[in-house]
């Protein structure tokens, strides 16, 4: 193994030397790598024109009592906006590719291992929906005034949805015991007149706090990304490029690029030079497929290794992210009351209503072959509870030309399933009101909560349940580190604790041992050593002859 590493390191040194001497004598090396030059051109103009001051519109100065009233005012000018938004996944919460079957998506049969499913829990979950009033199946998705324009566009930072308000802000001063926080009605005129293009704060209200808290779901998205520095993210750093989310998640007719289910976020890896109307969701859009200086080794990796694999060495670098959630431990009380314990990171390690949790910081990603598509299990799919169940899996392989080695966060845990049908179950968690007799967070009765959730989902339940270990993957694509903090070659090309240790089906120099190649490598080393010695001896002899 050590021999393999030595040979590989020598090969790298030789390649580096050859690359350095490949330039013609006297030729000046470019100051910047091509990928940097292209990116500089793509963001050359940062200022965006503002063509309307909404504080001057008379219709936004009228008294408002609710969000739908504000939306109705917005629609008097933006009369196509809600219709466009109705066609997006941010509104439907359904993967467009499976809209006819309602399988994939939060509003469909999808399941996860953090909050499990929104079915029967809509009043709580839809506090992160860009709409008003989604409390159950009766929600009118065709209503234009049910669209919440403000959550994405208001710029005061004071607009808050009530956590259990089905997408509405608090109508009056209301204390929410789950957070120990009091919510107040917004100043409707102030927030309506402040609207502008979405910022990190707008997107982060939901995407930084998804799954029930800061950093629960995405290891690379949490509140630290609201105003990050360049060391945390070179693109979004306020002391760097200071990108808003929409700089890369470009938008057409309110469709925001970047969501991944079975359909990749981008089918083609085109630069803006090839197609200036393409989305900027891939690194190649701005940096090209050969972003490094000509003749350097990293360019040779670009067809098989995603940029993120090298440029995001760890995630959750400022705030911790949840790595484990065990629902089977939920329900334990102290002195007859629900309780919570906090770990050394200041995060909950146990909650009666949610179970046991583990958090971590500076986490090294796990790596998989990934072509942009993900497979998902649903409430209708059979599982094998005898082993950990992968709820999501990336599609891809070494032989797939669209695949790259890509970094992921694995969120693991335990969740309930039907012992007889061997399928995941929908769990009714959040009480619909004081008379709710089945909500788990009110009565802590697994059987009743599962029975109610499955009935709501229209699925059978055998009456027998148990818990199964599961894994859920999230692509890591934010928190891009500066170039002096990238993954080093030896972290992957090593036989000991390689970052790529779990990847098989291909040969990786330094990590893998192959006797024939090792023998060839050592022969090359010895031959080179002999050549150097003979050359040196020849020089000594020739100098001696000249003196004589």
């Amino acid at each position: 193994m050590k021999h393999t590493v030595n040979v590989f390191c020598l090969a790298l040194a030789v390649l580096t030397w050859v690359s350095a001497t490949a330039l013609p004598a006297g030729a000046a090396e470019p100051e910047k790598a091509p990928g940097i030059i292209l990116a500089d051109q793509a963001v050359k103009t940062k200022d965006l024109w503002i063509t309307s001051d909404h504080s001057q519109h008379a219709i936004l100065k009228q008294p408002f009592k609710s969000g739908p009233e504000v939306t109705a005012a917005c629609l008097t000018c933006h009369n196509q906006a809600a219709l466009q938004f109705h066609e997006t996944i941010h509104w439907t919460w359904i993967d467009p590719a499976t809209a006819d079957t309602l399988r994939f998506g939060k509003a469909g049969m999808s399941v996860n291992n953090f909050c499990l499913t929104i079915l029967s829990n809509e009043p709580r979950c839809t506090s992160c929906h860009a709409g008003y009033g989604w409390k159950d199946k009766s929600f009118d998705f065709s209503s234009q005034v049910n669209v919440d324009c403000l959550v994405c566009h208001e710029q005061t930072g004071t607009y808050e949805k009530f956590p259990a308000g089905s997408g509405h802000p608090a109508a009056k001063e209301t204390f929410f015991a789950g957070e120990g926080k009091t919510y107040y009605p917004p100043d409707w005129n102030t927030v309506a007149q402040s609207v502008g293009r979405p910022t990190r704060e707008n997107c982060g209200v939901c995407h930084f706090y998804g799954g029930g808290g800061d950093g629960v779901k995405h290891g690379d998205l949490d509140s630290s990304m609201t105003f990050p520095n360049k060391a945390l993210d070179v693109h979004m750093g306020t002391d760097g490029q200071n990108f808003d989310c929409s700089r890369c998640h470009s938008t057409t007719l309110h469709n925001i690029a970047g969501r991944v289910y079975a359909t990749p976020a981008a089918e083609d890896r085109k630069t803006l030079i090839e197609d200036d109307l393409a989305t900027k969701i891939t690194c190649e859009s701005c940096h090209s497929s050969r972003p490094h200086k000509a003749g350097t080794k990293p360019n040779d990796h670009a067809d098989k290794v995603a940029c993120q694999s090298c440029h995001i060495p760890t995630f959750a670098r400022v705030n911790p992210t949840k790595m484990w959630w065990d629902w089977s431990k939920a329900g334990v009380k102290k002195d007859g009351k629900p309780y919570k314990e906090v770990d050394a990171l200041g995060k909950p390690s146990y909650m009666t209503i949610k179970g046991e949790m583990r958090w971590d910081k500076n986490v090294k990603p796990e790596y998989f072959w990934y072509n942009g598509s993900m497979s998902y299990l649903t409430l209708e799919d059979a599982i094998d509870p005898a082993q950990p169940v992968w709820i999501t899996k990336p599609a891809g392989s070494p032989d797939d030309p669209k695949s790259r080695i890509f970094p992921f966060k694995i969120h693991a845990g335990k969740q309930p399933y039907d012992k007889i049908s061997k399928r995941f179950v929908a769990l009714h968690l959040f009480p619909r009101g004081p008379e709710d007799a089945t909500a788990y967070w009110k009565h802590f009765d697994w059987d009743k909560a599962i029975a109610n959730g499955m009935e709501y989902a229209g699925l059978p339940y055998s009456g027998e349940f148990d818990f199964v270990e599961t894994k859920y993957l999230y692509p890591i694509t934010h928190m891009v580190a500066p170039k002096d903090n990238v993954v080093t070659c030896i972290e992957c090309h090593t036989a000991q604790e390689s970052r790529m240790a779990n990847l098989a089906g291909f040969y990786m120099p330094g990590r893998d041992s192959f006797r024939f190649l090792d023998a060839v490598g050592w022969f090359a080393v010895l031959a080179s050593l002999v050549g150097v010695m003979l050359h040196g001896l020849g020089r000594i002899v020739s100098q001696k002859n000249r003196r004589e």
Side-chain angles (χ1 to χ4, degrees):
M1 292 291 188
K2 291 182 178 178
H3 293 170
T4 306
V5 175
N6 291 336
V7 173
F8 175 67
C9 291
L10 176 66
L12 276 180
V14 171
L15 284 169
T16 303
W17 176 78
V18 170
S19 299
T21 57
L23 290 170
E29 206 171 1
E31 293 183 3
K32 293 183 176 180
I36 298 297
I37 296 172
L38 286 174
D40 286 345
Q41 294 173 355
V43 300
K44 191 173 183 179
T45 302
K46 296 182 181 180
D47 295 333
L48 297 173
W49 290 0
I50 301 298
T51 59
S52 180
D53 181 357
H54 287 76
S55 67
Q56 301 301 312
H57 293 325
I59 198 169
L60 297 181
K61 296 180 181 180
Q62 64 176 303
F64 297 113
K65 295 181 180 179
S66 69
E69 291 181 4
V70 175
T71 298
C74 298
L75 293 173
T76 60
C77 290
H78 304 279
N79 55 26
Q80 297 299 303
L83 296 175
Q84 293 171 2
F85 193 66
H86 282 176
E87 301 300 315
T88 72
I89 197 171
H90 273 85
W91 177 251
T92 65
W93 281 8
I94 291 289
D95 177 14
T98 60
D100 294 338
T101 59
L102 295 181
R103 281 179 58 81
F104 296 151
K106 289 192 283 287
M109 292 295 171
S110 289
V111 65
N112 57 60
N113 62 359
F114 38 97
C115 293
L116 306 180
T117 174
I118 79 162
L119 301 178
S120 77
N121 303 302
E122 288 91 341
R124 183 70 178 92
C125 299
T126 58
S127 62
C128 263
H129 182 246
Y132 298 117
W134 187 355
K135 63 179 181 179
D136 53 32
K137 296 177 183 177
S138 67
F139 180 64
D140 185 2
F141 284 93
S142 67
S143 169
Q144 294 188 54
V145 296
N146 279 350
V147 172
D148 183 354
C149 307
L150 295 173
V151 72
C152 295
H153 291 285
E154 78 88 23
Q155 299 303 310
T156 68
T158 63
Y159 180 79
E160 291 184 297
K161 289 173 174 278
F162 187 67
S166 304
H168 287 285
K172 60 182 180 180
E173 181 179 330
T174 308
F175 179 74
F176 184 63
E179 296 178 356
K181 177 180 175 180
T182 299
Y183 284 79
Y184 300 90
D187 182 332
W188 291 108
N189 293 107
T190 300
V191 296
Q193 293 171 29
S194 75
V195 296
R197 290 183 174 87
T199 63
R200 290 190 299 267
E201 295 94 311
N202 293 111
C203 302
V205 164
C206 289
H207 292 283
F208 295 166
Y209 298 90
D214 189 2
V216 169
K217 290 170 61 175
H218 305 279
D220 58 343
L221 287 175
D222 58 44
S223 62
S224 68
M225 294 291 282
T226 307
F227 300 106
N229 59 22
K230 188 176 179 180
L232 180 58
D233 191 289
V234 295
H235 299 114
M236 300 176 74
T238 55
D239 54 345
Q241 294 293 338
N242 199 23
F243 283 1
D244 285 322
C245 305
S246 57
R247 172 63 77 171
C248 297
H249 294 273
S250 47
T251 304
T252 303
L253 302 177
H254 284 88
N255 270 293
I256 302 171
R259 190 63 180 91
V260 174
Y261 278 108
T263 304
E267 297 282 0
D268 299 312
R269 298 173 180 272
K270 290 183 178 180
T271 69
L272 296 177
I273 293 177
E274 297 173 283
D275 182 0
D276 62 352
L277 297 179
T279 64
K280 303 182 184 72
I281 201 63
T282 67
C283 300
E284 290 92 337
S285 301
C286 293
H287 294 288
S288 84
S289 60
R290 298 186 68 79
H292 299 276
K293 292 180 180 180
T296 57
K297 194 61 182 173
N299 277 337
D300 296 337
H301 287 67
D303 62 333
K304 292 297 182 183
V305 181
C307 305
Q308 294 91 331
S309 292
C310 295
H311 289 275
I312 307 178
T314 59
F315 57 86
R317 296 205 294 272
V318 175
N319 295 342
T321 187
K322 187 179 288 187
M323 302 297 293
W324 171 262
W325 188 335
D326 186 351
W327 278 96
S328 71
K329 302 288 182 66
V332 178
K333 301 178 182 180
K334 280 187 177 181
D335 300 323
K337 297 180 180 180
Y339 74 101
K340 178 173 74 172
E341 292 180 345
V342 177
D343 65 13
L345 296 171
K347 292 292 187 176
S349 57
Y350 183 82
M351 297 176 70
T352 299
I353 64 171
K354 295 183 177 181
E356 181 183 271
M357 291 156 277
R358 290 201 297 268
W359 302 72
D360 205 355
K361 289 178 65 175
N362 290 310
V363 184
K364 287 185 180 180
E366 301 286 341
Y367 300 89
F368 298 88
W369 287 100
Y370 181 49
N371 62 16
S373 295
M374 299 283 287
S375 64
Y376 288 79
L377 293 179
T378 70
L379 292 168
E380 299 174 302
D381 295 314
I383 63 172
D384 178 8
Q387 57 189 350
V389 177
W390 293 81
I391 299 177
T392 61
K393 271 192 174 181
S397 71
D399 301 323
D400 179 359
K402 291 187 176 182
S403 292
R404 304 288 188 277
I405 296 173
F406 205 94
F408 288 83
K409 169 189 170 178
I410 299 179
H411 182 269
K414 286 185 178 181
Q415 63 195 94
Y417 76 100
D418 189 314
K419 288 178 65 176
I420 305 303
S421 67
K422 290 183 171 55
R423 288 177 171 83
F424 291 120
V425 295
L427 185 66
H428 177 42
L429 292 167
F430 189 79
R432 300 183 182 93
E435 304 303 319
D436 192 321
T438 61
Y440 185 77
W441 286 349
K442 185 176 178 66
H443 301 285
F444 300 101
D445 187 317
W446 285 108
D447 189 59
K448 289 182 179 179
I450 293 171
N452 184 279
M454 293 297 278
E455 180 183 5
Y456 187 92
L459 298 172
Y461 170 51
S462 70
E464 296 185 41
F465 71 93
D466 203 348
F467 294 87
V468 60
E469 184 174 341
T470 58
K471 297 179 185 293
Y472 199 102
L473 272 68
Y474 290 99
I476 296 296
T477 194
H478 306 92
M479 298 188 179
V480 178
K483 62 182 180 180
D484 57 355
N485 187 30
V486 299
V487 176
T488 60
C489 302
I490 199 64
E491 291 182 69
C492 299
H493 294 279
T494 178
Q496 304 297 324
E497 299 182 357
S498 169
R499 283 180 178 251
M500 307 292 171
N502 69 311
L503 294 176
F506 66 102
Y507 176 79
M508 177 180 284
R511 183 195 70 170
D512 303 324
S513 179
F514 188 62
R515 287 186 178 182
F516 174 74
L517 287 180
D518 288 349
V520 170
W522 276 110
F523 176 79
V525 171
L526 293 173
S528 299
L529 181 60
V530 170
V532 169
M533 292 176 67
L534 291 175
H535 177 73
L537 182 62
R539 293 286 297 271
I540 293 172
V541 172
S542 64
Q543 288 180 1
K544 182 178 180 181
N545 290 337
R546 282 200 297 269
R547 288 187 189 127
E548 292 177 350

